[in-house]
Amino acid sequence: MTKLKKKKSKSSKIHQRIDFFYVQNQQTEFQSLDSGKLKLATPKPLKQGWFCVDKRSIKNQCILGSNSVLYIGKNKPLEEGIVKYFSDFRFKGIGQTTIRKIVEEEKVQFLFMVNKGLLHFKDKVDLPISQIKIIDKVFSKEFDRAFLDILLRDLGLRFNQVQSIRDNMGSEFITNLLNEPDTLLKRSVEVDGIDKTVSRINIQDLKNLLNRFEVPVSEEKLILMSIEDFLISEEVQGGHTCRNVFYVMNQVAKISNLDKYKVKDYLYRNKEKFHLFSKEEKEFVETLDSQKRDSEVKKLIEKIINKKSTDKKLQFTDKKISNQIELSDEQLNAINGVINSKVSIITGGPGSGKSTTVIGIVKALEKFKKKIKICTPTGRAKKRLIQMPELNFQDASTIHMYL
C-alpha cells in the first residue's frame, strides 16, 4: 500500500506536526497514526488510552522527554474534532452528518485511513469516489497542521483561538500545556523575534483543559495564573495596564474562592513573575508584558521630546471645522498648543469636548499637510473615534498594535 505524498506548507515557519498513539495495558511499544511503532526513551507506565506528542520529540522511533506526551483519553477521543475538521467548507459536499456516521463506525482509525490515503479504503467508507478524492487532496495539502487542527477543534475552542494557537504556537501547544500552561494566557507570543498578538485562552478555559487532560497543577501555580489572567483582562477590557495590589488580591480571591492574604502571599513570593511598584504610598502590580510595552511607549515619548526641531510655529484659526462642529476659544487654544508641541495631554470628563478637540487637531494637521497617525489605548476607544464621520477615513490602531 502506497502512502499519499504529503505536501509541506510553505506559508508558516511554526512547527505544527503532531502524532497520536494508543497505549494498551502494560504496553512498552505503541502504534502511532503516522510515525509507526514508538516507545519511550525513558520507560515509564502510561495509562490505557490515546496520547498525542509533538513530532519533534520523536527520534529514531523513541519519544524523548518524560513530559512530552499528552493523555487525551480513551472514551471517544478526538471524534468531535474529526467531525468538525472534515465537515469544514474546504471539504466540499461533505457535511457533519456524513462524517459523524463514518467516525461512529471507524473511531480514530478513520484518521489512520485518511493519513494512508482514503482511496485505499474506499470499500470501508460510505462515500462516493469524488468525495474521497476531495478528502485525500485537502488532507494531503494540509498534512503538516491537520492533526493539530483536529486536536484543537476537539477541545471546543473558538475558531479564532484554534487558528491563533495553531499558527503562532503550533505543536508547542502540547509541551506548553504540560509544562508552562501560563503561556496560553498571554496576549502575545514571540515568533522569529517578533511579538505577535494572539487570541488567548482565559483562566477558566485553561482550567477546563488542564482537568480534561489530567495535567496536575499546584494551588500556587493556579493562583499565579489567575492573577496573570485578571491583569490581562483588566487591560483588554478597561485599558488598565496596572492595578492596585489590594484590588487584585480581593478580585482574584473571589474568583478562586481563596483567602485574599493567601493570594497576596503567593504574589509576593513570586515577585519575579510580575512587575510590582509603589506610587503615592500605594502598591501596584502589572504583568511583565505590560511593563515591557509601557517601557517601549516611554522610550518612544522620550525620543520624540528630545528630538530637535526647526519647524516654524503654526497658527490654526478655523473655528468652523465641519457643518456641525464649531470650536470654542478654549478648544482652539488647545489645538494650537498641540500642533506646536511634541507631546501633549488633553484631559476632561465625559462630554467636555475631548473627541471634538481631536477632530480639530486632525483638521489643523491636514491643513498644514502634516503626516497623521491616530492611535488609542484600547480597541474600544479606536472604534469610538473612527465612528465619527470626520475621522472614519483615518487608519487608526491601538498604541500597542502600532508599536
Side-chain angles (χ1 to χ4, degrees), residues 291-320:
Q291 181 195 18
K292 180 182 175 183
R293 289 193 295 270
D294 286 347
S295 296
E296 288 171 352
V297 172
K298 179 173 179 271
K299 287 177 184 176
L300 185 59
I301 291 173
E302 288 174 344
K303 184 179 178 181
I304 293 170
I305 291 173
N306 295 328
K307 185 178 179 181
K308 291 184 179 180
S309 175
T310 56
D311 292 343
K312 294 179 181 179
K313 187 172 182 180
L314 304 174
Q315 186 68 31
F316 184 67
T317 58
D318 302 344
K319 281 195 169 186
K320 187 87 171 172

Side-chain angles (χ1 to χ4, degrees), residues 81 104 144 194 270 295 340:
E104 284 174 355
D144 277 359
I194 300 171
N270 294 273
S295 296
N340 288 289

Side-chain angles (χ1 to χ4, degrees), residues 13 21-22 98 111 115 168-169 173 198 253 293 302 365 374 377 397-398:
K13 295 180 181 179
F21 62 90
Y22 187 76
T98 302
L111 277 185
N115 190 50
N168 294 306
M169 189 175 290
F173 168 76
V198 296
R293 289 193 295 270
E302 288 174 344
L365 293 173
I374 295 180
S397 72
T398 61

Side-chain angles (χ1 to χ4, degrees), residues 111-170:
L111 277 185
F112 175 81
M113 293 157 60
V114 174
N115 190 50
K116 294 291 185 183
L118 195 57
L119 196 59
H120 298 303
F121 302 91
K122 59 182 183 295
D123 296 330
K124 293 195 69 175
V125 293
D126 185 18
L127 283 173
I129 295 297
S130 61
Q131 291 185 343
I132 289 175
K133 288 182 176 179
I134 288 172
I135 289 176
D136 280 347
K137 181 179 178 181
V138 176
F139 188 84
S140 175
K141 185 178 179 181
E142 298 192 350
F143 171 73
D144 277 359
R145 71 182 197 184
F147 282 3
L148 179 60
D149 208 319
I150 289 166
L151 173 65
L152 295 174
R153 288 176 187 241
D154 192 63
L155 303 179
L157 300 175
R158 298 190 305 275
F159 175 75
N160 60 334
Q161 291 175 319
V162 170
Q163 190 178 43
S164 184
I165 293 171
R166 182 194 67 207
D167 296 343
N168 294 306
M169 189 175 290

Side-chain angles (χ1 to χ4, degrees), residues 192-294:
D192 296 331
I194 300 171
D195 283 341
K196 287 195 172 183
T197 301
V198 296
S199 181
R200 73 187 194 89
I201 293 175
N202 64 37
I203 188 64
Q204 192 53 54
D205 289 339
L206 183 55
K207 285 180 181 178
N208 291 339
L209 290 180
L210 295 170
N211 288 333
R212 170 173 171 169
F213 293 123
E214 301 178 17
V215 178
V217 180
S218 67
E219 179 185 77
E220 181 172 4
K221 184 73 171 175
L222 275 174
I223 291 301
L224 294 175
M225 291 194 299
S226 296
I227 294 171
E228 178 100 7
D229 178 70
F230 178 74
L231 290 171
I232 293 171
S233 297
E234 288 289 287
E235 182 175 352
V236 171
Q237 295 170 15
H240 305 288
T241 57
C242 64
R243 274 301 199 182
N244 180 278
V245 168
F246 186 75
Y247 177 72
V248 173
M249 284 167 47
N250 280 288
Q251 296 302 312
V252 173
K254 287 179 184 177
I255 296 168
S256 309
N257 293 318
L258 283 174
D259 180 77
K260 63 184 178 183
Y261 293 106
K262 181 175 275 192
V263 174
K264 184 179 181 181
D265 181 50
Y266 284 142
L267 173 60
Y268 278 88
R269 274 164 46 183
N270 294 273
K271 285 184 176 182
E272 73 283 357
K273 297 182 183 299
F274 300 91
H275 178 225
L276 288 133
F277 61 97
S278 299
K279 189 174 180 67
E280 296 177 358
E281 299 183 354
K282 291 181 181 178
E283 289 285 318
F284 292 88
V285 59
E286 65 181 339
T287 65
L288 296 179
D289 286 341
S290 287
Q291 181 195 18
K292 180 182 175 183
R293 289 193 295 270
D294 286 347

Side-chain angles (χ1 to χ4, degrees), residues 34-46:
D34 184 60
S35 308
K37 285 191 176 181
L38 301 173
K39 61 182 179 180
L40 296 177
T42 305
K44 73 171 185 177
L46 295 176

Side-chain angles (χ1 to χ4, degrees), residues 83-94 153 159:
V83 170
K84 288 178 180 177
Y85 179 79
F86 286 101
S87 59
D88 191 90
F89 72 92
R90 293 163 297 179
F91 299 90
K92 294 179 181 177
I94 306 167
R153 288 176 187 241
F159 175 75

